[in-house]
Amino acid sequence: MRVILIVFISLLFTACKKDSPKPPSAAVLVFPLQNSLCTTGVSITPTTSRVEFMWQTANNTNTYELRVSNLITDITQTVSTQSTSAEITIEKGAPHSWLVITRNTEVQETASSASWQFFNAGSQITHAPFPAQIIAPLSGASVVRDINGEIILEWSGADVDEDIVGYEIFLDIASPPQVLAASPASSVSSIKINTSANTVYYWKVITKDAEGNSSDSGIYSFRAL
């Protein structure tokens, strides 16, 4: 009898474990494409258009939260939906980023998709580069210097016109950073810089294109160890 009871409890535990709710998977973005010029928006006013955002179905997901950010104004719009698409009215002629947060009402965990950038078409003939995306060091990180006291700064740049001509890297112990540390060409996406131990640094990347347009990555910080 005891053996039967143990087997029953074991089977019950296995069944409960199998039926436990699972956290949602991250959504895979579909449209607007990464680093693209979006021309499919429906014009609403002379300065805004309605754009449809689309992504793939994510496993174990009840709702999707679409977040669209204007990279110039830093204003984010949010829409919750059970569908795999949603429409938002956004500014014409401005760069934006977007991502999707997936949720399952049975668990607290959420998942985030990748973040994609795009330029919402306006009346411009040329377009400013997207603000450079900082890869490393992440803002607020502590970074160990190499044997020469140097740290690698890494970023990525993109432009729908594909005419980036170079970058300006500003690095300083004060914010905003005022010291021009390097002016690498468009083919360069990382540099080594000399740093002092136990010091907080602030840095940003200015991206320039052939038409004289530029964009600012915003200020990031790290501590050199």
Side-chain angles (χ1 to χ4, degrees):
M1 182 67 180
R2 182 178 180 183
V3 173
I4 296 174
L5 181 61
I6 291 174
V7 171
F8 175 76
I9 293 174
S10 177
L11 291 173
L12 182 62
F13 175 77
T14 302
C16 291
K17 186 175 181 181
K18 183 181 295 185
D19 294 335
S20 297
K22 297 179 180 179
S25 301
V28 176
L29 306 184
V30 174
F31 185 85
L33 296 174
Q34 168 76 312
N35 297 330
S36 67
L37 177 64
C38 179
T39 59
T40 63
V42 177
S43 183
I44 303 300
T45 72
T47 59
T48 62
S49 60
R50 187 174 64 247
V51 174
E52 183 177 16
F53 296 81
M54 294 176 282
W55 54 92
Q56 295 180 12
T57 301
N59 293 331
N60 310 312
T61 298
N62 300 125
T63 60
Y64 302 91
E65 183 180 289
L66 169 64
R67 298 180 182 178
V68 182
S69 300
N70 184 312
L71 297 178
I72 301 299
T73 63
D74 204 29
I75 294 174
T76 298
Q77 298 186 70
T78 302
V79 172
S80 293
T81 179
Q82 294 181 335
S83 177
T84 54
S85 67
E87 294 183 338
I88 290 184
T89 298
I90 58 176
E91 184 178 350
K92 294 179 181 177
H96 295 77
S97 66
W98 71 291
L99 58 82
V100 173
I101 304 296
T102 47
R103 302 182 187 279
N104 182 338
T105 55
E106 296 182 337
V107 297
Q108 292 185 341
E109 296 97 326
T110 62
S112 176
S113 70
S115 177
W116 281 5
Q117 298 181 130
F118 70 98
F119 205 99
N120 192 31
S123 59
Q124 303 99 316
I125 298 176
T126 66
H127 308 86
F130 291 110
Q133 293 186 305
I134 301 303
I135 298 175
L138 295 176
S139 195
S142 294
V143 186
V144 177
R145 303 182 304 153
D146 65 17
I147 193 171
N148 298 314
E150 294 181 321
I151 284 175
I152 296 176
L153 303 181
E154 186 177 0
W155 67 93
S156 66
D159 188 336
V160 295
D161 300 324
E162 298 185 347
D163 63 348
I164 293 175
V165 295
Y167 304 95
E168 290 182 343
I169 313 301
F170 288 86
L171 177 75
D172 207 337
I173 59 174
S175 181
Q178 302 290 334
V179 179
L180 180 61
S183 299
S186 60
S187 59
V188 177
S189 58
S190 67
I191 61 169
K192 282 188 173 183
I193 51 100
N194 191 270
T195 56
S196 299
N198 299 314
T199 303
V200 174
Y201 288 89
Y202 301 89
W203 71 296
K204 68 177 181 178
V205 179
I206 303 297
T207 308
K208 295 187 171 184
D209 70 11
E211 299 294 331
N213 301 311
S214 65
S215 63
D216 188 325
S217 68
I219 300 170
Y220 292 74
S221 67
F222 64 91
R223 178 181 290 276
L225 301 179

